[in-house]
Amino acid sequence: MGNRKGLGLHLIFVCGFLFAGATYTCLGDGNTSLTVCSEKERLALLKFKDSVEDPSRMLSSWIGNDCCLWEGIQCDTVTGDVVSLHLMGNDEGYLVGYEVMSSLAELRHLKSLDLSGNDFQGSRIPKFIGSLKQLTHLNLSQAGFQGIIPPHIGNLSNLKVLDLSLGKRTWGLRVDDMAWTSGLSSLEHLDLSPVYLGEAQNRDMLFYMIPSLKVLNLWGCRLFDSDLGPFRNLSRILPNIKHLDLGFNSFNRPLPGFLQNMSSTLTFLDLSNFNLSRTWNFATLLSKIPSLSELHLSSCGLDKTHLSSPSYNFSTLSNIRHLVLSQNSIEGPFPSVFTNMSSLRVLVLSGNMLNSSLPIIPNLIDLDLSFNQLTGPIPTHLGNLSKLDLSSNHLNGSIPESIGNLATLTYLDLSSNWLTGPIPTSLGRHISLQFIRVSSNLLNGTIPVSIGQLAKLQYLDFSNNSLEGVVSEAHFANLSMLTYLDTSSNTKLRYNISRDWIPPFQLVSLLLRSCNITNRFPHWLRNQRNLHVLDLSNTTISGHLPTWLRKMPIIGYLDLSHNKLNGPLINLPNGETYGRNYKFPILFLENNFFNESIPTSLCRRTDLEYLDLSRNRLIGQVPKCLENLQHLRTMILSSNQLSGVIPSFMAPNSLERLKLNDNKFIGELPRELGNLRVLSILDLGNNKLSGNIPEWFGATLSYMRVLRLHKNNFTGRIPEYLCKGSNLQILDVAHNNLKGHIPRCLGELNAMVNDGGYRYSAPPSFDSDENVDQVMKGVDLEYTTTWDMVFNMDLSSNQLVGEIPVELTALSLLVGLNLSNNHLSGGIPDTIGNMSELNSLDLSGNELTGVIPPSMADLTFLSHLNLSHNNLSGRIPTGRQLQTLIDPSIYEGNKDLCGPPLPNNCSNPGEHPTTSKKKNKAAEEQINVLLLYTNIICGFVTGFWGVIGVLLLKKQWSKKLFKFAEDMMENIYVVVMVRVAKIKRGRDAA
C-alpha cells in the first residue's frame, strides 16, 4: 500500500511544482544559487540542526554562510528566501529528535516542508506549522509523531498536499475534531492513514467540506457506518475525487450511495475489509463505478459465487487494470471471469483457496497467487510477466528453463512449494531481475554461475533446499546491487571464497546458516559497511573472532552459534545502529568454545534485547556493567561455569526470559528478581542456590509460564503463593531440601486445567534453540520447539510428607507428574484417572499405602509409570493402557501387590497375599513406634515451652521464636516418618 500511494506523492514533492522566479528542475542538483540566503533563516536552520541527532550525517553539508547551497534546501533565486526544506529519512539514514524546533517558524516563505521518515520520538506535531501560510506541500508521514494533530493546520489555505500517514509506525496520532479541514480550501491530496479518527467530532466533514480533493486516503482510521452518510446533498460529496481509500475501517453496512455520484471521476477505490458478501457482488460494483481502473477488495468475504455472475458487463470489465482480491474465500478452479478482462495487467488473489493448476492470462504483467492450494507444474508459457508470485502453494515438478524467456521479469517468488530439480541456468538471462526467492522447496544440484550476471539483483534467497557444490567469487561477479543473500539450510553447499576477495556489493543481510564455510571466519566481510543481519550459525567456522569484526558499524542481528569459535569475546561488533529497520539488537553465541569471562565491552550494546551465551566455557562472575542493558528481554547464560551470587542488577524491568541454569551460582536469590513483572521463563536449575523460595516470588508470577529451580539447595516449604501462577505450566522444584506438605492449592493452577479459559501466551522467541530441560519418563529430556506444549510438575527428591492432595488430580492438562523420592504417605487418590493427558507418572520411593486405584486404567496416554518402593497392596488393575505397561520393575518394592505383570498371583481377589498375623504384628509394631516418638515430641514441647515460653512476653522476639518452634516440630516429624519407614522396610525384608 505504501508503494502505490507514496510514489506519486514523492514525485509531487520533488518535481510537481515550479516556484515563481525559481530555476530549479528535477534533473539538476538544486543547489545553484544566484543569491545568498538571509542570515535569519540560516541561523534558524542551524538551530534545527543542533536540536536533532544525525548519525548518518544527513546534514553534513550544512556549513558555510549560504544555506541555499545546503543539501535539502531550495531557495528563491531572486529573493534568496528558503522556499523548500526536504529532509526525508529512510532506512539508510534519518534524523532523531524530541521535537521540531520552533526556529523553523522563521522560514516565512516556505512552500514545501518534508520531514517524513525521521524519528521525532513520539513528540507532538508543532503548532507553529499553522503560521507557515505559504505552504502548499506538507509531508510529516512516518516521522514518529504522536498525540492530537493540531487544528492550526487548518490555517494553511494554500495547502495542496497534506500527508500525515503513519505507515508501519503506529504511534498514537489522532484527531479530536475534524472541523479544521474546512479551512483547507485548496487541498487536493490528504493522507491520514491510519490516524485514529474513531472519537473525532465532525468526521463526516472529510467527505463534503473539501471539494478540491482528488486523493483521500483514510485506510485503517477506524471509521464507522455512521460516517458514510446519509448526506443531504450528494453533489457535494467529493465531486472531484479520483483516488479513494476507505480500506480496513469498521464498516458493516452496504456500500455508501455516494459512490454512484463518483462514477465519472473515480479511478482508484479501496474497500478492503468491507462486508460485501451479503450485499453487492463483483459485477454490481463494477457496473456502479465504470470509471474504475484499480480496485482493492481484500478481506471482503468474497467467494466464487461473487465472481460467477452471468450479468457481467464486459465493457466495464475491460476498464480494470489493477485488481486485488486477496484474503477472501475464493475456492476451487481459477475463475474464468479474469480471462475476459482484456485490460487487466495486475491481479492479486493471494490468501484464497484456489486448487487448480496455474492459469494463463496473456496480458498480465503482475500475477500474485501466493498462499493458495494450486497444484501441478509451472507452465512453460507464462506470457509477458514482470512479477510472478506463486509462493506457498502445492506446485511440483521442476522450474522450467523457459522461465528465462520472460524478458521483463523483475520479481520471482516460488518459495514454499514442492518443486524439484536444479535451478535453471536461464535465470541468468534476466537482466532486469531484482528479486529471486525459491526457498523451502526440494531443489537440488548446484547454484548456476550465471546468477552472477544479474547486475540489478537486490534480493536472493535459495534457503531450505538440497543444493550442493561450491559457491565461489564467480557467483557474485556482477551483483553490485545485492543487499540480501540467504542460502541457509543447504547442508551440502560449501563456500570457498578467497580471503582477499573484495565483493562488488554492500549487503544488508547475509544468512548462511548450516552451510559449510572454509578458511575460518569469512574475511571478505570486513568491507561490508551496511551489514545489519549476519547469520553464520552452524557453518563449521573455528578459531578466534577477527579483530576487524569489532569495527563493523551496524550489525544488529548477529548469530554465530553452533560453531567451534573459541577464545575471548572481546572482538564483538560495537552494534551502532543507523537505520530504523536495523534496530534488531540480537546476539546468539551459544554452542561454541568461548572461554574466559564475560567481557565488559559487551555492556556497550545498550540496545540489546536478546542475549544468548549459553553452552560455552565462560568463567567468573557476571560483570556489573550488564546493568546497562535496560532493554534486555531475554538473557540466557546457561551451561557455562559462571560463579558467585546472582547479582541484583541482572533484573531489568523489561526481562521476559532469564536462564542461568547449569552454572555454579551460590547464595540466595536477589530480591530484585521480584521486580520482573513480565517474566515468563525463569530457569535457575542445576546451581548451588540456597535459602527458602522467597515470599516476594509470588508478585512475579502473573506471566510466569516456566519456573525451574531443579537441583539446588533450597530449603523450607513449598510456598502457597506459587498457586497464584495462573499461567504456570512447568513447575520444577525437584532435587532440593524442601519439606512439609504439598500445598493443596497447587490444584488451582489455571494453566494446567483444561477449563477452556484464556491463557497468557508468551512473546515469540527469536531463537530456534530456546529449550527447557525436564525429567519426563524417567530421563532428562530437552524440549525445544515444543516446550510450550509441555505441562509438567516435578516435586521429586525432596523431604515432602503427608498425603498426595486429591486437588492435584484436577490438573487435567498435566503431561507429567513426578512426586518420587519423598516421604509421602496415604493412598493414591481415587480420582487419578481425571488427569486425562498424563503421559508420565512417577510416585516411586515414598510410603504410599492402599490399593492402586482402578481409575488409573483410564489414563489412555500413560506411557511411563513408576510406583516402585512403596507399601502398596492388593491386585494391580488391568485394562486399557495399563495392559501395555508390562515391566515388573514398575511395581517392585511393593511386597503386597499381586497380579500381572508380577509373578505372584492373587489367590483371592479380596485378600492380600500376606497372613493376618503378619498384618497385625506390623500394625502393632508401627503403633508402638509412633507412641514412642509421640512421647518424645510431647516431652520436648513441654520442656521447650516451660523454659523459654515466658520470653514470648517480649513481642520483638515472638516471631523468631514461633518460627524456630515450627521448624523444629517439622524436623522431628520428618525424623519420625523416616524412622517408621525404615522399620517397615526392615519388616518387609524379613
Side-chain angles (χ1 to χ4, degrees):
M1 176 184 153
N3 288 338
R4 73 169 188 259
K5 295 176 182 176
L7 180 58
L9 178 60
H10 284 300
L11 287 175
I12 291 175
F13 266 78
V14 177
C15 304
F17 60 95
L18 293 175
F19 299 122
T23 59
Y24 308 109
T25 70
C26 294
L27 301 177
D29 59 13
N31 288 331
T32 301
S33 177
L34 300 180
T35 184
V36 179
C37 72
S38 71
E39 181 68 7
K40 188 176 182 180
E41 291 186 331
R42 187 181 75 88
L43 292 176
L45 290 169
L46 288 177
K47 286 182 180 179
F48 172 78
K49 177 183 179 182
D50 292 339
S51 71
V52 297
E53 299 175 15
D54 184 19
S56 57
R57 297 180 57 78
M58 287 176 58
L59 307 181
S60 59
S61 66
W62 285 28
I63 55 176
N65 294 325
D66 189 359
C67 63
C68 295
L69 299 176
W70 297 351
E71 185 176 354
I73 307 295
Q74 288 184 340
C75 297
D76 187 290
T77 56
V78 176
T79 65
D81 298 324
V82 175
V83 294
S84 175
L85 177 59
H86 282 190
L87 298 175
M88 295 177 291
N90 52 46
D91 291 341
E92 283 70 40
Y94 61 98
L95 303 174
V96 178
Y98 297 96
E99 62 178 345
V100 177
M101 282 292 293
S102 59
S103 63
L104 293 185
E106 299 297 333
L107 307 179
R108 298 292 182 180
H109 305 279
L110 201 62
K111 295 185 178 181
S112 179
L113 175 61
D114 188 346
L115 298 178
S116 63
N118 293 293
D119 190 353
F120 289 100
Q121 300 286 304
S123 62
R124 301 292 183 93
I125 295 176
K127 297 178 181 179
F128 74 78
I129 286 181
S131 66
L132 302 176
K133 298 295 185 64
Q134 302 300 316
L135 274 181
T136 61
H137 296 71
L138 176 60
N139 189 349
L140 303 179
S141 65
Q142 304 184 53
F145 291 111
Q146 71 174 6
I148 296 176
I149 296 174
H152 307 74
I153 292 179
N155 298 331
L156 305 178
S157 58
N158 293 316
L159 204 60
K160 293 184 177 181
V161 175
L162 175 59
D163 189 348
L164 302 178
S165 60
L166 300 176
K168 297 180 180 178
R169 311 195 63 206
T170 54
W171 292 90
L173 202 59
R174 63 188 189 279
V175 177
D176 58 359
D177 194 330
M178 293 302 307
W180 54 268
T181 58
S182 61
L184 304 177
S185 56
S186 302
L187 198 64
E188 298 179 359
H189 184 122
L190 176 60
D191 194 340
L192 296 178
S193 54
V195 174
Y196 179 58
L197 304 181
E199 298 178 2
Q201 300 294 319
N202 299 303
R203 293 189 297 269
D204 58 340
M205 294 180 68
L206 285 168
F207 298 102
Y208 68 87
M209 287 303 295
I210 318 177
S212 57
L213 269 182
K214 296 179 181 178
V215 175
L216 178 60
N217 290 330
L218 298 175
W219 185 94
C221 289
R222 280 162 281 189
L223 298 174
F224 304 98
D225 290 335
S226 57
D227 299 318
L228 299 180
F231 298 103
R232 294 180 181 178
N233 188 351
L234 291 180
S235 63
R236 295 190 60 187
I237 305 302
L238 302 174
N240 297 302
I241 197 75
K242 293 184 178 181
H243 179 119
L244 179 61
D245 189 342
L246 299 176
F248 290 96
N249 283 285
S250 301
F251 299 134
N252 292 307
R253 56 169 284 179
L255 294 177
F258 65 73
L259 286 177
Q260 300 181 42
N261 284 42
M262 305 174 184
S263 59
S264 61
T265 60
L266 196 61
T267 59
F268 176 101
L269 179 62
D270 190 337
L271 297 178
S272 297
N273 208 44
F274 263 78
N275 185 5
L276 302 180
S277 59
R278 294 174 300 171
T279 54
W280 291 14
N281 59 31
F282 184 57
T284 305
L285 177 61
L286 294 180
S287 65
K288 297 290 184 181
I289 317 174
S291 59
L292 281 178
S293 63
E294 182 168 348
L295 177 62
H296 293 250
L297 297 177
S298 298
S299 303
C300 287
L302 302 176
D303 56 40
K304 61 182 180 181
T305 62
H306 296 93
L307 302 177
S308 57
S309 172
S311 59
Y312 280 128
N313 182 334
F314 288 108
S315 63
T316 301
L317 291 179
S318 64
N319 293 328
I320 297 291
R321 298 178 59 84
H322 189 135
L323 180 61
V324 179
L325 301 177
S326 58
Q327 303 300 322
N328 282 290
S329 301
I330 305 170
E331 60 181 350
F334 189 82
S336 60
V337 61
F338 301 121
T339 60
N340 295 318
M341 301 175 69
S342 58
S343 297
L344 192 62
R345 296 296 180 267
V346 177
L347 177 61
V348 180
L349 286 170
S350 59
N352 283 283
M353 294 178 284
L354 300 173
N355 59 14
S356 62
S357 58
L358 277 176
I360 298 177
I361 307 178
N363 295 324
L364 280 182
I365 59 174
D366 186 337
L367 176 62
D368 185 350
L369 298 177
S370 60
F371 291 93
N372 278 280
Q373 302 168 21
L374 298 171
T375 59
I378 298 174
T380 56
H381 300 286
L382 291 170
N384 297 309
L385 290 171
S386 62
K387 179 179 178 180
L388 177 61
D389 190 344
L390 302 175
S391 60
S392 299
N393 279 283
H394 301 156
L395 300 173
N396 54 32
S398 61
I399 302 174
E401 280 284 342
S402 59
I403 204 167
N405 298 330
L406 298 175
T408 60
L409 191 66
T410 61
Y411 184 104
L412 177 65
D413 192 346
L414 305 177
S415 61
S416 300
N417 280 286
W418 298 339
L419 300 173
T420 57
I423 297 171
T425 58
S426 62
L427 276 180
R429 298 202 299 263
H430 290 291
I431 58 174
S432 301
L433 202 54
Q434 301 173 22
F435 184 104
I436 302 177
R437 180 162 57 196
V438 293
S439 57
S440 301
N441 279 286
L442 304 172
L443 301 173
N444 54 29
T446 61
I447 297 177
V449 177
S450 61
I451 294 293
Q453 302 305 312
L454 300 176
K456 295 184 179 180
L457 192 65
Q458 301 175 28
Y459 187 106
L460 178 60
D461 186 355
F462 289 157
S463 62
N464 292 293
N465 281 287
S466 299
L467 300 174
E468 57 188 25
V470 176
V471 177
S472 65
E473 296 94 324
H475 287 87
F476 308 109
N478 293 316
L479 304 187
S480 59
M481 299 185 68
L482 191 67
T483 60
Y484 183 98
L485 173 61
D486 188 355
T487 63
S488 300
S489 299
N490 288 282
T491 56
K492 297 181 179 180
L493 200 62
R494 182 166 61 92
Y495 277 77
N496 187 11
I497 294 178
S498 169
R499 176 182 175 85
D500 300 324
W501 180 60
I502 299 178
F505 46 70
Q506 286 292 324
L507 293 176
V508 173
S509 297
L510 175 63
L511 301 100
L512 306 182
R513 181 185 67 254
S514 298
C515 297
N516 293 294
I517 297 178
T518 58
N519 296 331
R520 296 195 173 188
F521 205 96
H523 196 67
W524 56 269
L525 293 178
R526 70 193 184 281
N527 295 314
Q528 297 298 296
R529 311 310 300 172
N530 296 329
L531 196 61
H532 167 62
V533 175
L534 178 59
D535 186 348
L536 300 180
S537 60
N538 194 30
T539 53
T540 69
I541 56 177
S542 59
H544 287 44
L545 295 177
T547 56
W548 53 261
L549 186 62
R550 188 189 316 172
K551 301 177 182 179
M552 298 292 285
I554 57 174
I555 295 181
Y557 179 107
L558 178 62
D559 190 348
L560 302 177
S561 63
H562 297 273
N563 282 296
K564 300 176 182 179
L565 296 167
N566 55 38
L569 287 171
I570 57 175
N571 291 328
L572 290 172
N574 59 28
E576 297 175 8
T577 53
Y578 290 158
R580 179 171 298 109
N581 292 334
Y582 296 159
K583 289 192 174 180
F584 201 46
I586 293 174
L587 187 58
F588 298 138
L589 298 172
E590 71 270 20
N591 284 85
N592 278 287
F593 301 115
F594 292 116
N595 48 37
E596 301 187 11
S597 58
I598 298 176
T600 57
S601 59
L602 185 64
C603 305
R604 291 198 294 266
R605 290 295 305 270
T606 56
D607 61 335
L608 268 181
E609 295 183 9
Y610 199 116
L611 174 64
D612 191 345
L613 302 177
S614 63
R615 302 186 186 191
N616 279 283
R617 298 174 179 177
L618 299 172
I619 61 174
Q621 298 185 3
V622 178
K624 187 177 186 304
C625 65
L626 282 186
E627 64 184 346
N628 297 332
L629 308 184
Q630 291 300 308
H631 299 289
L632 209 58
R633 294 171 55 193
T634 296
M635 182 187 296
I636 304 178
L637 305 179
S638 53
S639 300
N640 281 287
Q641 300 178 41
L642 301 172
S643 57
V645 298
I646 296 176
S648 59
F649 55 77
M650 289 181 62
N653 292 333
S654 58
L655 206 60
E656 297 168 358
R657 303 173 183 88
L658 177 61
K659 300 178 65 176
L660 305 176
N661 55 292
D662 297 280
N663 278 288
K664 298 179 180 179
F665 289 112
I666 60 173
E668 298 186 2
L669 299 180
R671 186 174 186 83
E672 286 74 10
L673 290 180
N675 299 327
L676 303 181
R677 305 297 182 183
V678 295
L679 196 66
S680 64
I681 298 176
L682 178 62
D683 191 345
L684 304 176
N686 293 76
N687 281 289
K688 299 179 181 179
L689 300 169
S690 57
N692 293 348
I693 301 176
E695 294 183 3
W696 46 258
F697 226 156
T700 69
L701 292 175
S702 299
Y703 296 104
M704 188 83 75
R705 298 182 69 188
V706 177
L707 175 59
R708 185 171 181 268
L709 305 178
H710 186 97
K711 215 168 191 177
N712 278 284
N713 298 317
F714 288 107
T715 55
R717 300 188 177 192
I718 297 177
E720 291 195 358
Y721 52 75
L722 291 184
C723 305
K724 298 179 181 179
S726 58
N727 291 293
L728 204 60
Q729 67 178 67
I730 294 180
L731 174 60
D732 185 349
V733 295
H735 290 272
N736 281 284
N737 296 310
L738 302 173
K739 57 187 179 181
H741 293 71
I742 299 174
R744 294 185 179 276
C745 63
L746 288 181
E748 302 172 3
L749 292 172
N750 292 338
M752 299 182 182
V753 180
N754 189 11
D755 60 354
Y758 169 79
R759 283 190 294 273
Y760 169 74
S761 179
S765 170
F766 292 109
D767 190 356
S768 60
D769 285 340
E770 186 167 43
N771 60 78
V772 173
D773 294 326
Q774 285 290 274
V775 176
M776 295 277 276
K777 302 183 180 181
V779 295
D780 288 325
L781 297 177
E782 181 180 349
Y783 292 90
T784 53
T785 57
T786 60
W787 74 263
D788 57 343
M789 295 186 288
V790 176
F791 296 81
N792 188 43
M793 182 181 293
D794 192 345
L795 312 181
S796 63
S797 299
N798 282 287
Q799 301 178 36
L800 303 175
V801 296
E803 297 184 345
I804 299 174
V806 67
E807 288 83 358
L808 291 187
T809 63
L811 303 179
S812 54
L813 280 182
L814 268 190
V815 175
L817 177 62
N818 192 345
L819 305 178
S820 64
N821 297 311
N822 281 288
H823 307 298
L824 300 175
S825 57
I828 300 173
D830 290 336
T831 54
I832 191 75
N834 293 341
M835 307 181 75
S836 56
E837 299 295 323
L838 211 56
N839 190 271
S840 176
L841 176 63
D842 192 343
L843 304 177
S844 62
N846 283 288
E847 288 92 45
L848 300 175
T849 58
V851 299
I852 299 174
S855 68
M856 192 172 289
D858 297 332
L859 301 177
T860 54
F861 294 106
L862 195 64
S863 62
H864 175 81
L865 176 65
N866 192 349
L867 303 178
S868 63
H869 300 292
N870 281 286
N871 298 309
L872 300 171
S873 58
R875 181 185 296 274
I876 297 173
T878 59
R880 299 188 181 180
Q881 190 68 9
L882 288 180
Q883 295 294 101
T884 65
L885 304 176
I886 59 176
D887 184 357
S889 66
I890 293 174
Y891 308 102
E892 69 179 4
N894 293 276
K895 186 176 180 182
D896 294 339
L897 282 178
C898 60
L902 296 178
N904 49 323
N905 295 323
C906 298
S907 56
N908 186 343
E911 195 72 33
H912 296 173
T914 57
T915 64
S916 66
K917 181 178 180 180
K918 286 184 178 180
K919 288 190 289 182
N920 293 337
K921 182 178 180 181
E924 182 180 354
E925 185 181 49
Q926 182 175 352
I927 291 171
N928 289 336
V929 172
L930 289 175
L931 287 174
L932 171 63
Y933 283 99
T934 301
N935 288 332
I936 294 173
I937 293 171
C938 292
F940 170 79
V941 171
T942 302
F944 178 81
W945 292 112
V947 175
I948 65 173
V950 68
L951 296 178
L952 295 179
L953 295 175
K954 291 184 176 294
K955 294 182 179 180
Q956 62 267 35
W957 295 357
S958 61
K959 185 176 180 180
K960 292 185 177 180
L961 285 171
F962 275 114
K963 184 67 169 61
F964 174 75
E966 184 182 27
D967 290 346
M968 184 64 73
M969 294 290 288
E970 191 67 61
N971 289 332
I972 292 174
Y973 182 67
V974 172
V975 170
V976 170
M977 297 307 297
V978 172
R979 179 59 180 163
V980 169
K982 289 183 178 179
I983 292 175
K984 288 181 181 179
R985 287 170 181 157
R987 179 202 66 195
D988 293 343

